């Protein structure tokens, strides 16, 4: 059932995107550093959206990389702590009166 719901949502998004593209096909003047050009409005919107996605991925990737390094460090600490716990569990238990 959830696959069907996801498929319906994706289909609705596709139809909405196509209708936005159809109704925003008129050319607009795009000013950039080296001059101007005319592009369809939907092309400018898609380009701006794509640039935003790329910049977001670039901004997040550094944080993700540092978090992966931290996860590796924490896993190593966990393995060491588990080894120490295993060692302590294997020690014989003695009461204070037996140690004298």
């Amino acid at each position: 059932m959830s696959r069907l719901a996801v498929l319906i949502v994706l289909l609705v998004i596709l139809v909405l995107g196509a209708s936005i593209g159809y109704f925003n096909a008129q050319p607009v003047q795009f000013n950039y550093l080296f001059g101007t050009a005319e592009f369809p409005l939907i092309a400018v919107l898609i380009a701006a959206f794509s640039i935003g996605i790329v910049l977001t991925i670039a901004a997040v990737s550094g944080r993700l990389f540092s978090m992966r390094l931290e996860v590796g460090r924490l896993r190593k600490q966990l393995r060491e702590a588990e080894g120490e716990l295993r060692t302590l569990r294997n020690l014989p238990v003695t009461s204070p009166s037996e140690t004298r």
Side-chain angles (χ1 to χ4, degrees):
M1 184 65 183
S2 66
R3 283 188 178 184
L4 181 62
V6 170
L7 184 63
I8 290 172
V9 168
L10 288 176
L11 187 62
V12 168
I13 290 172
L14 181 67
V15 168
L16 287 174
S19 65
I20 289 172
Y22 177 75
F23 290 115
N24 290 307
Q26 65 270 21
V28 294
Q29 187 174 9
F30 180 73
N31 298 315
Y32 54 96
L33 292 176
F34 303 112
T36 62
E38 282 197 9
F39 296 108
L41 180 58
I42 192 65
V44 175
L45 290 174
I46 290 173
F49 185 71
S50 300
I51 290 170
I53 289 173
V54 169
L55 291 177
T56 301
I57 290 172
V60 170
S61 64
R63 180 72 176 138
L64 283 175
F65 181 70
S66 67
M67 291 176 85
R68 285 186 182 185
L69 290 176
E70 184 178 0
V71 165
R73 182 182 56 79
L74 291 172
R75 283 186 178 160
K76 182 181 176 186
Q77 283 180 352
L78 178 63
R79 279 192 305 269
E80 291 171 356
E82 285 174 341
E84 183 179 352
L85 182 61
R86 222 175 293 114
T87 303
L88 290 173
R89 283 183 179 161
N90 292 334
L91 288 177
V93 177
T94 59
S95 64
S97 62
E98 293 178 6
T99 58
R100 293 182 191 183

